[in-house]
């Protein structure tokens, strides 16, 4: 005899309650739902197949049918969509390193690669490179990580500006009178052509591509001004402070407007060390790309490389300044020569790696500072404007006329160095030609 209020256990033939009826309805609906799901996963072959157990919520079937892989909405292969967006980069690349650099140039970071189930951009680039069909092309050899090769053509071209500059100065020292002007003009034109040729080939060459006309023209104009000031600026500044100039420059060291040829000759000869330093930077960055396993890892390795390349160039330029000063019996002008050399090298390295905006700003700022110093001294001759010459006069009286270009070019070079340490140490700076800046 049942006790009042006692609930029958499931399966009991009699004594069912309202709770039992509701439980029976719930269980019946669950079994029917499970049967419908099992029929949807049944073997297509039909007969004799056993329904698979229902998958747990939030899970998807793995390739082996275990049902343990996490569920993902949308495209089951996100790397495939990434390959579709960057197919041109992946097809053009000769190895995975170029893909990694190009992906970073397009904003893909290690955190982005983690969403594609890769530990870093380099691992993601390796998969993208492997997925691109290459018509049976052989895999990249380890030699590709050693960077660009040294070619005789650009080596000889980098020696040409120094040779022509030395020949021009020799002609000016040997020729007197009216022939000095045509000799100077011919020498400057030949030097400009040789420098242009040296910058169009080799590691100092800029990547081909469309360049805004104002950027290219501004870079050339500011560079010519800085080189012209290195040749005649100190003598002009000294002459203006003394109340001149009263006559145009003659090109002679003892003329009314003296010329300082040692820094310019040293900078022309430094085209060869600059090209070698750029080559070392490209080759070293290539090796570090091959050995890095993350973007931050590459940046940490590339910063001392860039600093070492700059120090190496400045050491070579110091020796050239000392040599030219001794041969020409002039002051070596170390402060202004080294500051200008560092500025020109950093600007060219940035241009060669598709960073054109910062160099033209830095070169322009240095040139404007030098021109402003001369303009203030000349404006101080106006009635009531003598105070304008006070800053420049103080600098000249304290450190000499060479302090003006040294401060102007040194500040611009320091700003470019900070910018280069942020940009040239990224993998995107060494991306293949055509990658976005």
């Amino acid at each position: 005899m049942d006790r009042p209020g006692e609930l029958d256990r499931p399966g009991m033939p009699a004594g069912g309650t309202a709770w039992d009826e509701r439980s029976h309805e719930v269980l019946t609906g669950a079994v029917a739902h499970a049967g419908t799901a099992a029929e949807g996963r049944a073997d297509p072959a039909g007969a004799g197949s056993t329904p698979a157990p229902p998958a747990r919520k939030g899970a998807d079937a793995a390739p082996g049918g275990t049902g343990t892989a996490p569920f993902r909405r949308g495209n089951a292969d996100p790397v495939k969509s990434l390959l579709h967006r960057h197919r041109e980069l992946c097809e053009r690349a000769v190895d995975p390193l170029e893909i990694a650099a190009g992906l970073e140039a397009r904003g893909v970071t290690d955190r982005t690669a983690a969403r594609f189930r890769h530990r870093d951009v380099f691992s993601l680039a390796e998969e993208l490179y492997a997925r691109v069909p290459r018509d049976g092309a052989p895999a990249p050899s380890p030699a590709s990580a050693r960077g660009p090769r040294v070619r005789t053509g650009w080596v000889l071209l980098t020696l040409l500006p120094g040779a022509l500059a030395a020949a021009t100065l020799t002609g000016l020292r040997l020729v007197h009178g009216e022939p000095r002007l045509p000799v100077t003009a011919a020498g400057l034109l030949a030097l400009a052509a040789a420098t242009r040729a040296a910058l169009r080939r080799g590691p100092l060459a800029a990547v081909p591509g469309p360049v805004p006309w104002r950027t290219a023209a501004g870079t050339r104009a500011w560079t010519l001004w800085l080189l012209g000031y290195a040749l005649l600026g100190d003598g002009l500044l000294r002459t203006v402070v003394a109340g001149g100039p009263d006559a145009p420059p003659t090109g002679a060291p003892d003329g009314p407007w003296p010329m300082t040829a040692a820094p310019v000759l040293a900078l022309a000869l430094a085209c060869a060390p600059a090209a070698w330093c750029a080559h070392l930077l490209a080759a070293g960055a290539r090796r570090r790309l091959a050995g890095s396993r993350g973007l931050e890892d590459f940046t940490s390795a590339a910063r001392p490389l860039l600093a070492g390349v700059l120090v190496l160039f400045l050491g070579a330029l110091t020796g050239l300044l000392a040599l030219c000063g001794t041969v020409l019996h002039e002051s070596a002008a170390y402060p202004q020569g080294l500051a200008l050399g560092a500025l020109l090298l950093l600007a060219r390295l940035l241009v060669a790696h598709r960073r054109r905006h910062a160099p033209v700003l830095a070169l322009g700022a240095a040139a404007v500072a030098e021109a402003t110093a001369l303009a203030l001294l000349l404006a101080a001759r106006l009635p009531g404007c003598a105070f304008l010459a006070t800053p420049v006069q103080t600098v000249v009286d304290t450190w000499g006329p060479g302090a003006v270009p040294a401060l102007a070019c040194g500040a611009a070079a320091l700003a470019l160095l900070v910018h280069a340490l942020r940009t040239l140490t990224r993998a995107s700076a060494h991306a293949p030609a055509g990658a976005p800046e």
Side-chain angles (χ1 to χ4, degrees), residues 96 100 103 110 113 116-129 292-294:
L103 288 178
D110 288 339
F116 294 95
R117 296 187 175 182
H118 283 272
R119 63 182 179 273
D120 50 45
V121 174
F122 293 89
S123 175
L124 179 61
E126 289 173 355
E127 180 175 349
L128 292 175
Y129 183 83
S292 300
R293 299 312 309 169

Side-chain angles (χ1 to χ4, degrees), residues 42 47 60 87 89 95 102 108 115 122 167 179 231-232 245 249 264 277 281 284 292 312 347 350 386 407 418 430:
D60 194 5
R87 177 170 292 275
L89 169 66
D95 58 23
V108 179
R115 296 202 295 266
F122 293 89
L231 185 66
L232 299 169
V264 178
C277 289
L281 177 64
S292 300
L312 180 63
L350 288 167
L407 292 175
V418 174
H430 308 277

Side-chain angles (χ1 to χ4, degrees), residues 239-336:
T239 303
V240 170
V241 170
D246 299 326
T250 60
D254 54 351
W257 189 345
M259 179 179 66
T260 308
V264 178
L265 178 58
L267 289 172
L269 293 171
C271 284
W276 278 103
C277 289
H279 172 75
L280 292 177
L281 177 64
R286 193 72 176 179
R287 287 192 299 269
R288 282 158 177 78
L289 271 175
S292 300
R293 299 312 309 169
L295 298 178
E296 293 297 332
D297 186 17
F298 172 77
T299 299
S300 300
R303 281 173 180 164
L305 173 64
L306 176 60
V309 164
L310 180 60
V311 170
L312 180 63
F313 172 77
L314 292 179
L317 182 58
T318 301
L320 291 174
L321 285 170
L323 176 64
C324 294
T326 302
V327 172
L328 298 177
H329 304 288
E330 295 180 1
S331 172
Y334 292 112
Q336 55 265 47

Side-chain angles (χ1 to χ4, degrees), residues 174-202:
L174 297 178
V175 175
H176 301 279
E178 294 183 358
R180 292 178 64 89
L181 182 59
V183 169
T184 303
L188 291 178
L189 290 177
L191 179 60
T195 305
R196 182 179 178 87
L199 296 180
R200 282 181 170 270
R201 296 185 60 184

Side-chain angles (χ1 to χ4, degrees), residues 8 10 16 35-36 38 91 105 139 182 185 195 197 235 260 271 295 301 304 353 366 383 394 409 431 433:
D8 296 338
T36 303
E91 291 177 347
T195 305
T260 308
C271 284
L295 298 178
H353 291 85
T394 302
C409 296

